[in-house]
């Protein structure tokens, strides 16, 4: 049994079931992100771990201990909320000290621990400030320190960065990850931002309508999405519709052209529709680009994203976008231009519905 | 444009004089107890009246008790409704408004029927019982203001998330209520307290019918029997009310935090 073990969790609100058969084991010290669109049940699962919601079915074990009968204040869990939720009547020191006071620690112990926590989030100099005197990013760091001060077994963060602006979001997520690794604390992080999840997680759970579509490392999730939903939600994968020509040798037709995949296609017969995914960075239209597959297309649009230029091509019925590095020495294609897109057939992924 | 401004000022002046002239008249009259000169004789007479001090003190004590018990009732109720029973909020709001709709005299006759000395709970049978009944009736009267003031203050903080944050840190509900919620609705509690104070100090019906030595009935008694003292008392009563209102303004201005609301 894993350190945090969720087994066959169900949750219904009235007649509506919002979490279905959720199973997952999270190891000690692991950083797991729940990624999914709004309303898919991420918060609900987090709240069940914290004890704010009671599962309609299934069990939650932390370190081998069934949490079912425990109230939120009896579980040893740290929680960070999107809206910070600092106590407005207490200064930074007292906010961080709150859980320790509740636990009945002595004053010197509390002061020592608070100091240590404020050192961790680099806000020692703001100990006397009240929440309304802090920026959003500072408030959220204090909230993190407050949650960690009581040495929880599991840290839960529900979209802690959503209320912050883009720059702070990036620096704070790295800070969270660094603190998490330093303390080795088991962490569940909820987000609907795929870049956030990919950049800081050990593993990601991609959620879709109350179910886990795929659980895997960021690398697996990004490179080998298990379902069409994962493929479209994570990254900017191109979905190309094709037809199976010969499953035995992995031959498919895309845009009227036959290409061969590196592997045979299982469970399909000739004439079946098939969805294939291609990462935007896997294709190129440059002269002498490598790749065993070439598709003719027409440039639809291009957008400049700084270090890369994203170009959209029409290939047959599909629009395929691909990225190329911004090279000042190269003239980017213009809309309407006919080009040849080259890529390696092994980069095409067969997508399950 | 200018003419319209002028018109507005005239309207304000008329409105203000409607309030101020009688007040000034009362003040002037209260100073004329001595034949030929202005003096504070009427005030001296009032303050030296043993009954004044007794009834004033009594009402003051009742006001303080009403505020304490009222808050102990209202804050947890408003908190609980916001946290767990948002669907019953309209009902609670309606109930708290009832004292404004039902005349005090009706309420007090209801009390007398329910709690008379031959009932199951004979509160009116003893002095302390009657005092208690009077305090509860004051609580009822101040409920509309008290509940609204507290509920408004609670709207400004995210009660639910604060509660959950405290819970996840191991706190139980008394700690949550008194350390995390109460201090943050203090502005509401205080404004409710000042309004309650003003209401209790001037209340007549309940105290008179329950036959308690409160300030309201005393005002009435003096008004019926003396010439200059009632004016002096009216000015004093006004001063108390205005002091309460002024403090209320002050408190709401000094509420320091602008709570983070996402
Ligand atoms: N207390 C509740 N009563 C009824 N339905 C609820 C309740 N809480 C959540 N739901 C429903 O459960 C579903 C999942 O909600 P949840 O808050 O877990 O989504 P989420 O993945 O966290 O979304 P978001 O990214 O918007 O925060 C939603 O359809 C929501 O309407
Ligand atoms: Mg959510």
């Amino acid at each position: 049994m894993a350190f945090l073990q969720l087994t066959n969790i169900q949750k219904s609100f009235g007649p509506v079931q919002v979490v279905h058969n959720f199973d997952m084991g999270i190891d000690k010290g692991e950083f797991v992100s729940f990624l999914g669109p709004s309303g898919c049940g991420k918060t609900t699962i987090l709240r069940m771990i914290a004890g704010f919601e009671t599962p309609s079915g299934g069990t939650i074990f932390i370190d081998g201990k069934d949490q079912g009968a425990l109230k939120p204040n009896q579980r040893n869990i740290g929680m960070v909320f999107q809206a910070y939720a600092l106590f407005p009547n207490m200064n930074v020191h007292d906010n961080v000290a709150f859980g320790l006071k509740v636990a009945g620690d002595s004053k010197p112990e509390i002061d020592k621990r608070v100091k240590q926590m404020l050192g961790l989030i680099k806000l020692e100099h703001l100990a006397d400030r009240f929440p309304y005197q802090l920026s959003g990013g500072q408030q959220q760091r204090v909230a993190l320190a407050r949650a960690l001060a009581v040495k929880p077994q599991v840290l839960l963060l529900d979209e802690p960065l959503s209320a912050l602006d883009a720059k702070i979001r990036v620096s704070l997520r790295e800070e969270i990850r660094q603190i998490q690794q330093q303390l080795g604390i088991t962490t569940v992080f909820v987000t609907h931002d795929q870049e956030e999840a990919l950049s800081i997680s050990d593993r990601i759970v991609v959620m879709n309508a109350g179910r886990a579509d795929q659980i895997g490392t960021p690398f697996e999730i990004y490179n080998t999405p298990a379902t069409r939903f994962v493929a479209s939600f994570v990254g900017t994968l191109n979905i190309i519709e094709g037809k199976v020509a010969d499953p035995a040798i992995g031959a498919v037709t895309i845009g009227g052209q036959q290409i061969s995949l590196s592997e045979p296609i299982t469970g399909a017969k000739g004439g079946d529709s098939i969805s294939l995914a291609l990462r935007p960075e896997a294709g190129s239209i440059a002269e002498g680009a490598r790749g065993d597959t070439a598709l003719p297309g027409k440039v639809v649009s291009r957008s400049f994203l700084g270090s890369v230029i994203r170009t959209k091509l029409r290939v047959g019925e599909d629009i395929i976008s691909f990225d190329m590095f911004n090279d000042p020495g190269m003239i980017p294609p213009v809309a309407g231009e006919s080009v040849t897109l080259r890529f390696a057939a092994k980069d095409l992924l067969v997508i399950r519905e | 444009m200018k003419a319209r401004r002028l018109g507005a000022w005239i309207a304000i002046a008329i409105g203000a004089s409607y309030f101020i002239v009688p007040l000034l008249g009362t003040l002037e009259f209260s100073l004329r107890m001595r034949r030929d000169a202005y003096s504070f004789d009427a005030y001296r007479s009032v303050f030296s009246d043993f009954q004044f001090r007794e009834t004033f003190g009594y009402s003051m004590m009742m006001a303080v008790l009403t505020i304490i018990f009222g808050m102990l009732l209202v804050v947890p109720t408003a908190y609980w409704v916001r946290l767990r029973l948002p669907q019953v909020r309209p009902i609670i709001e309606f109930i708290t408004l009832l004292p404004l709709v039902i005349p005090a005299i009706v309420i007090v006759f209801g009390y007398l029927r329910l709690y008379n000395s031959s009932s199951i709970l004979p509160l009116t049978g003893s002095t302390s019982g009657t005092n208690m009944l009077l305090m509860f009736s004051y609580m009822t009267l101040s409920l509309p203001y008290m509940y609204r003031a507290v509920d408004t203050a609670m709207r400004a903080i995210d009660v639910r998330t604060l509660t959950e944050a405290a819970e996840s840190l191991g706190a139980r509900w008394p700690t949550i209520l008194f350390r995390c919620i109460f201090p943050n609705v203090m502005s509401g509690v205080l404004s409710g307290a000042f309004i309650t104070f003003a209401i209790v100090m001037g209340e007549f019906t309940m105290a008179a019918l329950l036959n308690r030595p409160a300030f309201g009935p005393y005002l009435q008694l003096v008004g019926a029997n003396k010439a200059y003292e009632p004016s002096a008392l009216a000015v004093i009563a006004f001063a108390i009310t205005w002091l309460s209102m002024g403090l209320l303004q002050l408190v709401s201005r000094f509420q320091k935090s602008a709570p983070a609301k996402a």
Side-chain angles (χ1 to χ4, degrees):
Chain A
M1 187 184 275
F3 184 72
L4 169 57
Q5 182 68 49
L6 306 174
T7 311
N8 199 22
I9 300 286
Q10 320 279 340
K11 179 69 190 177
S12 304
F13 290 109
V16 192
Q17 186 160 5
V18 298
V19 176
H20 305 261
N21 318 338
F22 191 87
D23 265 305
M24 187 180 191
I26 297 175
D27 290 328
K28 194 164 186 169
E30 204 179 6
F31 191 115
V32 171
S33 291
F34 286 9
L35 175 64
S38 187
C40 68
K42 309 178 295 284
T43 299
T44 305
I45 294 179
L46 206 70
R47 291 172 59 81
M48 287 192 281
I49 300 173
F52 296 128
E53 305 281 358
T54 316
S56 312
T59 55
I60 299 172
F61 278 75
I62 297 177
D63 202 9
K65 193 159 178 247
D66 188 353
Q67 303 288 304
L70 299 180
K71 295 206 179 80
N73 56 14
Q74 297 166 322
R75 301 186 185 193
N76 195 1
I77 273 170
M79 183 109 185
V80 175
F81 301 84
Q82 181 178 346
Y84 321 136
L86 295 179
F87 305 121
N89 57 313
M90 300 179 200
N91 64 19
V92 168
H93 176 281
D94 292 347
N95 261 287
V96 178
F98 183 83
L100 304 166
K101 278 188 193 151
V102 167
D105 292 2
S106 72
K107 183 147 178 7
E109 266 174 345
I110 292 176
D111 286 345
K112 189 164 152 250
R113 180 80 181 149
V114 170
K115 208 159 174 200
Q116 191 185 350
M117 294 322 294
L118 292 183
L120 200 63
I121 56 163
K122 303 185 190 73
L123 288 181
E124 295 108 317
H125 57 295
L126 298 182
D128 296 327
R129 293 257 188 111
F130 281 88
Y132 71 99
Q133 297 168 314
L134 300 175
S135 72
Q138 290 169 334
Q139 289 189 51
Q140 199 57 296
R141 273 145 77 196
V142 174
L144 180 67
R146 179 179 69 177
L148 290 171
V150 291
K151 301 191 175 149
Q153 288 174 296
V154 176
L155 177 65
L156 307 175
L157 305 108
D158 192 358
E159 305 202 26
L161 306 173
S162 312
L164 302 170
D165 66 55
K167 263 224 173 77
I168 306 288
R169 212 148 59 207
V170 173
S171 67
L172 192 51
R173 78 181 184 213
E174 275 153 19
E175 204 174 323
I176 290 175
R177 173 60 158 163
Q178 183 246 319
I179 290 173
Q180 182 268 337
Q181 284 179 322
Q182 193 178 331
L183 302 180
I185 185 163
T186 314
T187 302
V188 180
F189 182 97
V190 164
T191 178
H192 56 242
D193 180 336
Q194 43 104 357
E195 190 195 315
E196 214 164 273
L198 290 170
S199 65
I200 56 175
S201 316
D202 290 318
R203 276 195 299 161
I204 296 175
V205 181
V206 183
M207 304 248 336
N208 178 18
R211 288 191 170 81
D213 258 29
Q214 188 174 4
I215 300 178
T217 63
F219 199 76
E220 289 163 356
I221 297 278
Y222 190 81
N223 291 323
T224 52
T227 67
R228 186 193 186 92
F229 174 83
V230 177
S232 59
F233 193 78
V234 180
T236 40
L237 278 186
N238 295 294
I239 306 283
I240 307 167
E241 301 300 337
K243 284 236 174 324
V244 178
D246 184 349
I249 57 162
V252 293
T253 344
I254 301 171
Q257 193 179 343
Q258 182 158 335
I259 59 172
S260 55
L261 305 178
S262 46
E263 287 170 8
I265 305 160
T266 50
K269 56 186 191 311
D272 281 0
S273 303
I274 187 169
S275 300
L276 299 164
L278 182 68
R279 278 176 293 119
E281 60 273 26
S284 170
I285 55 163
E287 290 290 324
R290 294 197 295 161
D292 49 21
T293 312
L295 290 174
K298 247 193 170 71
V299 177
V300 178
S301 69
R302 63 161 212 254
S303 44
F304 183 59
L305 305 176
S307 59
V308 296
I309 295 170
R310 175 158 299 166
T311 309
K312 287 196 165 140
L313 289 184
R314 175 173 291 284
V315 177
E317 293 292 292
D318 295 302
I319 299 283
I320 300 178
S321 43
F322 69 93
D323 294 342
M324 53 188 173
F325 283 112
N326 175 20
D327 175 359
M330 201 189 71
I331 305 145
V334 293
E337 202 177 317
S338 288
V339 292
T340 304
L341 177 68
R342 288 174 197 283
F343 55 89
K346 69 171 172 48
D347 285 333
L348 278 175
L349 293 168
V350 178
I351 298 294
R352 259 190 2 236
E353 286 305 315
Chain B
M1 194 69 207
K2 264 226 168 103
R4 209 194 287 173
R5 276 278 282 280
L6 192 68
W9 278 113
I10 291 172
I12 289 174
I14 293 173
S17 56
Y18 181 79
F19 287 105
I20 291 172
V21 168
L23 198 60
L24 284 179
T26 309
L27 180 65
E28 200 261 358
F29 185 72
S30 72
L31 297 174
R32 281 218 313 224
M33 196 168 176
R34 209 173 287 178
R35 265 291 132 85
D36 36 5
Y38 284 136
S39 72
F40 286 101
D41 283 4
Y43 292 86
R44 205 166 301 136
S45 155
V46 165
F47 284 123
S48 62
D49 184 356
F50 165 74
Q51 262 201 320
F52 169 81
R53 274 178 280 158
E54 187 152 274
T55 57
F56 194 84
Y58 178 82
S59 283
M60 195 90 130
M61 193 191 69
M62 290 308 275
V64 170
L65 288 176
T66 306
I67 289 164
I68 293 171
F69 283 92
M71 283 308 161
L72 286 179
L73 173 73
V74 166
V75 176
T77 307
Y79 171 66
W80 199 248
V81 168
R82 278 207 165 260
L83 195 65
R84 291 285 147 80
L85 302 167
Q87 65 276 21
V88 304
R89 247 185 74 187
I91 301 171
I92 299 279
E93 291 206 340
F94 178 72
I95 291 174
T96 61
L97 277 179
L98 283 180
L100 288 183
V101 187
I102 303 172
I105 188 112
V106 175
I107 298 179
V108 82
F109 273 119
Y111 283 160
L112 287 176
R113 268 201 91 87
L114 266 177
Y115 302 115
N116 65 40
S117 40
S118 54
S119 68
I120 315 169
L121 197 62
L123 282 179
T124 57
S126 67
T127 312
S128 53
T130 316
N131 283 342
M132 218 161 84
L133 188 58
L134 184 60
M135 190 201 74
F136 284 126
S137 67
Y138 286 156
M139 263 167 70
T140 313
L141 283 186
S142 61
L143 206 53
Y145 312 99
M146 203 92 120
Y147 181 79
R148 228 130 299 233
V150 170
D151 196 52
T152 308
M154 273 190 194
R155 187 173 317 156
I157 58 170
D158 188 346
V159 172
R160 174 185 272 268
T161 318
L162 284 187
T163 302
E164 288 180 355
E167 254 184 310
S168 73
L169 292 166
R172 286 162 211 266
W173 78 261
T175 315
I176 299 175
L177 197 57
F178 287 101
R179 300 265 311 280
C180 308
I181 303 298
F182 227 102
N184 291 311
V185 295
M186 213 53 204
S187 69
V189 168
L190 284 176
S191 25
F194 288 126
I195 296 176
T196 305
F197 184 75
I199 292 174
V200 172
M201 290 312 286
E203 207 283 330
F204 171 77
T205 321
M206 304 262 186
L209 285 168
L210 290 175
N211 196 24
R212 298 306 305 141
F215 193 53
Y218 171 73
L219 281 181
Q220 192 275 336
L221 183 78
V222 173
N225 297 313
K226 297 196 178 167
Y228 296 97
E229 283 86 346
S231 304
L233 272 174
V235 172
I236 294 169
F238 249 107
I240 293 169
T241 313
W242 283 17
L243 198 71
S244 300
M245 295 298 158
L247 285 176
L248 199 157
Q249 288 294 321
L250 213 63
V251 165
S252 40
R253 196 141 329 148
F254 269 103
Q255 192 206 4
K256 57 180 179 203
S257 60
K261 188 98 203 267

